[in-house]
Amino acid sequence: MAPLATILNSHPDIAGQILDAIEVQFKLDDIALTRITAQFLQEIANGLAEYGQAMAIIPTFVTGVPSGKEEGTFLALDLGGTNLRVCEVKLNGDHTFSLRQQKYKVSDQLKTGEATALFDYLADSVDAFLTSESPDAPKGEDLPLGLTFSFPVEQTALDSGHLLTWTKGFAAKNAVGHDIVKLLQDAFNRKHLHVKCVALVNDTVGALLSRSYTAGGCLLGAIFGTGTNGAYVEDLSKLTKLKDEGLKSRGGKMIVNTEWGAFNNSRSTLPTTPFDNKLDRESINPRFQAFEKFISGMYLGEITRNILLALVDAAPKPLLFNGRVGSGSLNNHYGLDTAVMSDVELAWAGDQPKAEPTEDVYGVADKLAVLHLGDFDEAKLSDSQKQRLERVRKVIIYNLGFEETPEDVSLNDAAIVRWACTLVAERAAKLSGCAVAAILVQTGCASLGTDDGIKRTDYVNENGKIGVGVDGSLIQFYPNFETQLRDSLRHLVGKKVEEAVEIGMAKDGSGVGAALGALIATQAHST
């Protein structure tokens, strides 16, 4: 893209030229979506065949998914941040479950002290929960527990995994390189608790298991929130890098954790713009987690902020906010939260249903005559458009620190901000559709670029649908995110397959999912 100043000096219709130059970089046509999905499939194949790939395709050793008819009581322990959570999950056998839980705070001293102290605290928390909640467990038998451990782990069995490194402020000594399940079980044994840790899962696998239980089957669990990842059910025969010949000889399936946030770290296929390059260069992990930086909630606000600042700084004439950034966060790194983008979209939509199309001003799909800034005239706007832009303007004034200078935010500025938010979020949703489409093609459920319908029925749930369990703030709350994802999916695998995909929220993947991991483990041990 040419520098904004160059465009300004070369074209009389500077505003339209700049907006068009930005927009074309974010647009994804069917050819681009297909090319990205094909690259996704190639990197899945690489990860299935060899260790050490960016898209790691990690074996989870979970070799089945629940049908929703299972019964029993299982414990879950969820550790991933400032709080830990202990849950008791009672499976009712009819796709429903009951949940009791308690949170416990993890102090900084525990995070950075000896590992034995940390894991003793985990055991004490489970003990406190059992004492207060009194789950219905057979006397003399150990209660099975699933552990959600949201740190990098090299998993070697369903109940074994070695910690690679701490993140999120944890730095407990003598834990890295050790088996996490053993550290926890040793703590349980020191406390004489009748609890056995039988499964180690991550939240993405948990999302798949949780949705499978409530929906009667699930192919893919996916997180579209602050971060992104996916786990899906793969044929063991395709997992050629797995060295466990005994397991492979039995055939069947295994859930694999894709770690798709690292897809196309080389950026050879992803539609990179100068605004993405700036974000990546200034991030804590340049050249890593490329896909995540294009589609996850942690980064969408920053991409949008980069666009807005480029327009504020345009020379010789600013194109946004009179060249000012207010007293708020627009000038701060990661100062524009993705939630503000959502608020802008909600303000524009007003009371309309989430997926209902709205008339557009600087929208990506259907620009009006007011597109070019030089031609912007409030007299050309309908009353409805004026009301919507005024609502957007108020969101900008409040969230970006223009309370003292509201005159710096015009209706034209409101239209441009909404346009930028839509550009960035729509691209994220369509790229998310590429990830879902790749899994459908990889598992043989669909063909890329055709509309042949469902090609494999053993992944269909009891409702005749292909189950996709999702979690995360983007898919749950961002206006039109799922609609745009499905639009991308429809272009890639056809209308018949897209309509057969049942996207549903996974209830508490890190809690219920861990308990269901314990269920799978106990089933495996009993056979």
Side-chain angles (χ1 to χ4, degrees), residues 103-150:
K103 291 183 179 180
Y104 301 88
K105 185 173 178 61
V106 182
S107 68
D108 289 340
Q109 183 176 0
L110 286 169
K111 291 179 182 179
T112 58
E114 283 291 331
T116 52
L118 173 62
F119 282 88
D120 279 347
Y121 178 71
L122 301 186
D124 286 337
S125 299
V126 172
D127 189 19
F129 178 84
L130 292 175
T131 302
S132 62
E133 299 293 336
S134 301
D136 183 18
K139 292 185 177 180
E141 295 184 18
D142 289 342
L143 269 175
L145 176 142
L147 170 63
T148 297
F149 190 74
S150 301

Side-chain angles (χ1 to χ4, degrees), residues 86 101 239 266 268 348 357 391 431 452:
V86 184
Q101 61 180 324
L239 194 55
S266 67
S268 61
W348 172 258
R391 289 196 297 263
L431 287 173
D452 297 335

Side-chain angles (χ1 to χ4, degrees), residues 347-348 378 384-397 409-411 414:
W348 172 258
E378 290 188 27
S384 172
Q385 289 170 338
K386 289 178 183 178
Q387 291 169 3
R388 292 173 186 222
L389 288 176
E390 185 57 42
R391 289 196 297 263
V392 172
R393 179 175 175 269
K394 289 178 179 178
V395 170
I396 295 167
I397 290 171
V409 184
S410 66
L411 291 187

Side-chain angles (χ1 to χ4, degrees), residues 25 37 46 68 96 110 149 154 163 211 283 295 339 348 358 361 370 411 418 422 444 503 526:
Q25 297 175 81
T37 306
N46 294 343
T96 67
L110 286 169
F149 190 74
E154 182 180 353
L163 178 65
R211 183 62 186 173
S283 71
I295 74 169
W348 172 258
T358 64
V361 177
V370 294
L411 291 187
R418 191 252 164 174
T422 303
I503 298 176
S526 64

Side-chain angles (χ1 to χ4, degrees), residues 342-477:
S342 181
D343 289 344
V344 166
E345 296 284 9
L346 289 170
W348 172 258
D351 296 329
Q352 297 196 55
K354 179 179 178 182
E356 182 178 324
T358 64
E359 48 185 329
D360 232 343
V361 177
Y362 292 151
V364 177
D366 184 23
K367 296 181 185 178
L368 299 181
V370 294
L371 172 63
H372 300 299
L373 291 175
D375 296 333
F376 189 90
D377 186 350
E378 290 188 27
K380 297 180 181 179
L381 302 177
S382 68
D383 290 341
S384 172
Q385 289 170 338
K386 289 178 183 178
Q387 291 169 3
R388 292 173 186 222
L389 288 176
E390 185 57 42
R391 289 196 297 263
V392 172
R393 179 175 175 269
K394 289 178 179 178
V395 170
I396 295 167
I397 290 171
Y398 176 76
N399 286 283
L400 299 185
F402 286 97
E403 292 97 330
E404 295 182 3
T405 57
E407 65 276 7
D408 285 333
V409 184
S410 66
L411 291 187
N412 193 21
D413 294 332
I416 291 175
V417 171
R418 191 252 164 174
W419 163 82
C421 292
T422 303
L423 270 183
V424 173
E426 180 180 305
R427 186 186 68 168
K430 289 194 171 185
L431 287 173
S432 300
C434 291
V436 177
I439 301 305
L440 293 173
V441 176
Q442 170 64 27
T443 53
C445 293
S447 296
L448 185 60
T450 68
D451 194 13
D452 297 335
I454 299 176
K455 300 176 69 65
R456 183 173 176 175
T457 59
D458 57 334
Y459 283 120
V460 173
N461 65 23
E462 62 185 37
N463 299 319
K465 301 288 188 178
I466 301 172
V468 176
V470 296
D471 199 2
S473 54
L474 281 178
I475 192 72
Q476 187 171 7
F477 298 117

Side-chain angles (χ1 to χ4, degrees), residues 467-509:
V468 176
V470 296
D471 199 2
S473 54
L474 281 178
I475 192 72
Q476 187 171 7
F477 298 117
Y478 200 97
N480 296 315
F481 192 90
E482 182 180 334
T483 302
Q484 296 289 354
L485 185 157
R486 282 188 172 277
D487 180 64
S488 172
L489 195 59
R490 189 163 51 253
H491 286 302
L492 291 165
V493 296
K495 183 179 179 181
K496 294 175 184 176
V497 173
E498 181 271 317
E499 290 179 344
V501 171
E502 183 179 68
I503 298 176
M505 293 303 297
K507 297 181 179 178
D508 193 2

Side-chain angles (χ1 to χ4, degrees), residues 15 19 57 75 109 169 180 188 202 267 306 417:
L19 294 179
I57 315 294
L75 290 176
Q109 183 176 0
I180 295 303
F188 286 152
N202 74 1
R267 298 184 178 231
N306 288 341
V417 171

